[in-house]
Amino acid sequence: MVPALENILAKTKSLVFFGGAGVSTESGIPDFRSVDGLYHQKFRYPPEVMLSHSFYESHTAEFFDFYRKKLIVHGAKPNAAHLRLAKLERQGVCKAVVTQNIDGLHQAAGSQTVYELHGSTLRNYCTRCGKFYPVEFIEQAGDQGDGIPRCTACGGIVKPDVVLYEEGLDEQTLENAVRAIAAADTLIVGGTSLAVYPAAGLLRYFRGDELVVINKQPTPADGMATLVVNQPIGQALAEEPTR
């Protein structure tokens, strides 16, 4: 709990939350860029390469093997940050969550208006006929043949609905996020280094009164913020003081 943040929230009528990997690390999901993150682990290819569209096209079986091992997470549950944002939405304060995460934890916590800039591991679709499949379908394919999930209806490859490197963001999702941020009187940026574009560039659309940055490390937005909180996001958004 941060008294200065609670004072801002008490006055806020239209809040938008913009979050990154740091929101999910407290739920046990590793991030990408920290010292212990995915990009600092050793693989046959750099993770940025293995999560690219061209690698998906040229090394499809290896892509899915890596994807199953590193991007599908089991047992993660919403933390205090997810739960507080869902509560703020129920109270009519939080108008939208804009997230770079692909884990679906905001929806699991109860948030209804969530714009997933980078998609979701929970949605998977056939690239040929468009049929949708749950994440379990991708997992089960790992025990069969070459490990490439194929549509039961037409045989097409079932691709996760996540934005890979070299792929563009969904235009409608981007428009919705821009519209929400532009209409907010308070924007909380949490758990993100603001290093990934075009997502980080969305901050320039904010015209409201209060920009709050909650992140354990400094970010490029700190100098513009009315409040900077350098602590884990779950602690900062918790309603009760943490011991």
Side-chain angles (χ1 to χ4, degrees):
M1 183 178 186
V2 179
L5 174 58
E6 296 303 320
N7 290 338
I8 289 173
L9 289 174
K11 298 180 291 184
T12 296
K13 293 182 172 59
S14 178
L15 167 70
V16 168
F17 178 82
F18 177 88
V23 180
S24 294
T25 51
E26 288 171 73
S27 293
I29 298 177
D31 65 4
F32 282 59
R33 290 177 169 76
S34 70
V35 174
D36 299 317
L38 186 62
Y39 288 173
H40 290 272
Q41 299 176 29
K42 299 299 182 186
F43 302 102
R44 183 178 174 190
Y45 303 94
E48 298 97 317
V49 171
M50 299 176 81
L51 293 175
S52 68
H53 181 81
S54 55
F55 191 86
Y56 162 79
E57 292 280 352
S58 62
H59 297 72
T60 309
E62 285 182 88
F63 166 84
F64 276 106
D65 183 53
F66 179 76
Y67 180 86
R68 274 187 288 266
K69 289 177 180 175
K70 293 299 179 181
L71 266 71
I72 295 177
V73 178
H74 295 278
K77 290 183 168 54
N79 60 52
H82 299 107
L83 296 170
R84 180 71 186 283
L85 290 166
K87 181 177 180 179
L88 287 166
E89 183 186 69
R90 291 193 300 272
Q91 293 170 337
V93 176
C94 186
K95 304 302 182 183
V97 169
V98 179
T99 181
Q100 300 172 80
N101 297 335
I102 56 176
D103 50 46
L105 288 180
H106 284 291
Q107 292 93 327
S111 290
Q112 301 291 315
T113 305
V114 182
Y115 300 126
E116 296 172 306
L117 297 175
H118 297 152
S120 172
T121 59
L122 305 184
R123 297 189 302 270
N124 306 274
Y125 65 95
C126 173
T127 53
R128 186 180 298 168
C129 73
K131 182 178 179 180
F132 268 82
Y133 289 88
V135 65
E136 291 79 13
F137 186 82
I138 305 294
E139 293 180 292
Q140 291 161 6
D143 301 323
Q144 304 159 10
D146 58 9
I148 300 174
R150 289 183 170 84
C151 179
T152 56
C154 74
I157 295 176
V158 177
K159 180 180 182 293
D161 190 14
V162 299
V163 179
L164 303 177
Y165 287 100
E166 305 164 353
E167 294 180 342
L169 302 188
D170 178 75
E171 287 187 21
Q172 189 59 60
T173 302
L174 205 53
E175 285 178 23
N176 289 339
V178 167
R179 194 175 298 115
I181 289 171
D185 59 22
T186 296
L187 177 64
I188 297 179
V189 178
T192 174
S193 61
L194 295 175
V196 178
Y197 282 81
L202 294 179
L203 268 64
R204 70 178 183 270
Y205 295 100
F206 179 60
R207 299 289 183 270
D209 301 320
E210 305 283 359
L211 174 61
V212 179
V213 176
I214 306 171
N215 200 55
K216 289 193 284 187
Q217 286 83 35
T219 79
D222 289 4
M224 302 177 285
T226 50
L227 176 65
V228 176
V229 181
N230 293 127
Q231 63 179 244
I233 185 117
Q235 289 182 20
L237 282 174
E239 290 189 87
E240 299 298 326
T242 53
R243 298 182 185 278

Coordinates of all heavy atoms in Angstrom, one line a residue, residues 3 9 27 29 32 36 72 79 126-127 142 153 158 172 174 182 215 218 231-232 234 238:
P3 N 0.4 5.3 0.3 CA -0.5 6.4 0.6 C -0.7 7.4 -0.5 O -1.8 7.8 -0.8 CB 0.0 7.0 1.9 CG 0.8 5.9 2.6 CD 1.4 5.1 1.5
L9 N -5.8 7.6 -6.4 CA -6.9 6.7 -6.8 C -8.2 7.2 -6.3 O -9.2 7.1 -6.9 CB -6.6 5.3 -6.4 CG -5.5 4.5 -7.1 CD1 -5.2 3.2 -6.4 CD2 -5.9 4.4 -8.6
S27 N 3.3 -13.7 -9.7 CA 2.5 -14.9 -9.9 C 3.4 -16.1 -10.3 O 2.8 -17.1 -10.6 CB 1.4 -14.6 -10.9 OG 0.5 -13.7 -10.4
I29 N 5.5 -16.1 -12.9 CA 5.8 -16.2 -14.3 C 7.1 -15.4 -14.6 O 7.1 -14.2 -14.3 CB 4.7 -15.7 -15.2 CG1 3.4 -16.5 -14.9 CG2 5.0 -15.6 -16.6 CD1 2.2 -16.0 -15.7
F32 N 11.3 -11.5 -19.2 CA 12.2 -11.7 -20.3 C 13.5 -11.0 -20.1 O 14.6 -11.6 -20.4 CB 11.6 -11.1 -21.6 CG 10.5 -12.0 -22.2 CD1 9.4 -12.4 -21.5 CD2 10.6 -12.5 -23.5 CE1 8.4 -13.2 -22.0 CE2 9.7 -13.4 -24.1 CZ 8.6 -13.7 -23.3
D36 N 17.5 -12.8 -14.4 CA 17.1 -14.3 -14.4 C 16.1 -14.5 -15.5 O 15.5 -15.6 -15.6 CB 16.5 -14.7 -13.1 CG 17.5 -14.5 -11.9 OD1 18.7 -14.9 -12.1 OD2 17.1 -14.0 -10.9
I72 N 4.3 -21.5 -22.0 CA 3.1 -22.0 -21.4 C 3.4 -22.2 -19.9 O 4.3 -23.0 -19.6 CB 2.6 -23.3 -22.1 CG1 2.2 -23.0 -23.5 CG2 1.5 -23.9 -21.3 CD1 1.8 -24.3 -24.3
N79 N -2.2 -12.2 -8.8 CA -1.7 -11.7 -7.6 C -2.5 -10.4 -7.1 O -3.5 -10.1 -7.7 CB -0.2 -11.5 -7.7 CG 0.1 -10.5 -8.8 OD1 -0.4 -9.4 -8.8 ND2 1.1 -10.8 -9.7
C126 N -6.3 -22.3 -36.0 CA -5.8 -23.0 -37.2 C -5.5 -21.9 -38.3 O -6.4 -21.1 -38.6 CB -6.8 -24.0 -37.7 SG -6.4 -24.7 -39.3
T127 N -4.3 -21.9 -38.8 CA -3.9 -20.9 -39.8 C -4.6 -21.2 -41.1 O -4.5 -20.3 -42.0 CB -2.4 -20.9 -39.9 OG1 -1.9 -22.3 -40.2 CG2 -1.7 -20.5 -38.7
G142 N 2.8 -32.0 -28.1 CA 4.1 -32.3 -27.8 C 4.4 -33.8 -27.6 O 5.6 -34.2 -27.7
A153 N -9.8 -30.6 -37.9 CA -10.8 -30.4 -39.0 C -10.2 -30.4 -40.4 O -10.7 -31.0 -41.3 CB -11.6 -29.1 -38.8
V158 N -1.9 -25.3 -36.1 CA -2.6 -24.5 -35.1 C -1.6 -23.6 -34.4 O -0.6 -24.0 -33.7 CB -3.3 -25.4 -34.0 CG1 -3.9 -24.5 -32.9 CG2 -4.3 -26.2 -34.7
Q172 N -7.0 -3.4 -34.3 CA -8.2 -3.0 -33.4 C -7.8 -2.9 -32.0 O -8.2 -2.0 -31.2 CB -9.3 -4.1 -33.6 CG -10.6 -3.7 -33.0 CD -11.1 -2.4 -33.6 OE1 -11.4 -2.2 -34.7 NE2 -11.3 -1.4 -32.7
L174 N -4.9 -2.2 -30.8 CA -4.1 -1.0 -30.6 C -4.9 0.2 -30.6 O -4.7 1.1 -29.7 CB -3.1 -0.9 -31.8 CG -1.8 -0.2 -31.6 CD1 -1.0 -0.6 -30.4 CD2 -0.9 -0.3 -32.9
A182 N -6.1 7.8 -24.1 CA -6.3 9.2 -24.4 C -7.5 9.7 -23.5 O -7.5 11.0 -23.3 CB -6.6 9.4 -25.9
N215 N 7.5 0.5 -10.8 CA 8.5 -0.5 -11.4 C 9.7 -0.6 -10.4 O 10.1 0.4 -9.8 CB 8.9 -0.1 -12.8 CG 9.5 -1.2 -13.6 OD1 8.8 -2.2 -13.7 ND2 10.7 -1.0 -14.1
P218 N 14.3 1.9 -12.6 CA 13.9 3.2 -13.3 C 13.4 2.9 -14.8 O 13.8 1.9 -15.4 CB 15.2 4.0 -13.4 CG 16.1 3.4 -12.3 CD 15.7 2.0 -12.2
Q231 N 8.9 -0.3 -6.3 CA 8.7 -1.5 -5.5 C 7.8 -2.5 -6.3 O 7.3 -2.1 -7.4 CB 8.0 -1.2 -4.2 CG 6.7 -0.6 -4.2 CD 6.1 -0.4 -2.9 OE1 5.1 -1.0 -2.5 NE2 6.7 0.5 -2.1
P232 N 7.7 -3.8 -5.9 CA 6.9 -4.7 -6.7 C 5.5 -4.2 -6.8 O 4.9 -3.7 -5.8 CB 7.0 -6.0 -5.8 CG 8.3 -5.9 -5.1 CD 8.5 -4.4 -4.8
G234 N 2.6 -5.7 -6.9 CA 1.6 -6.3 -6.0 C 1.6 -5.6 -4.6 O 0.6 -5.4 -4.0
A238 N -1.5 -3.3 -3.3 CA -2.3 -3.9 -2.3 C -3.0 -2.9 -1.4 O -2.5 -1.8 -1.2 CB -1.3 -4.7 -1.4

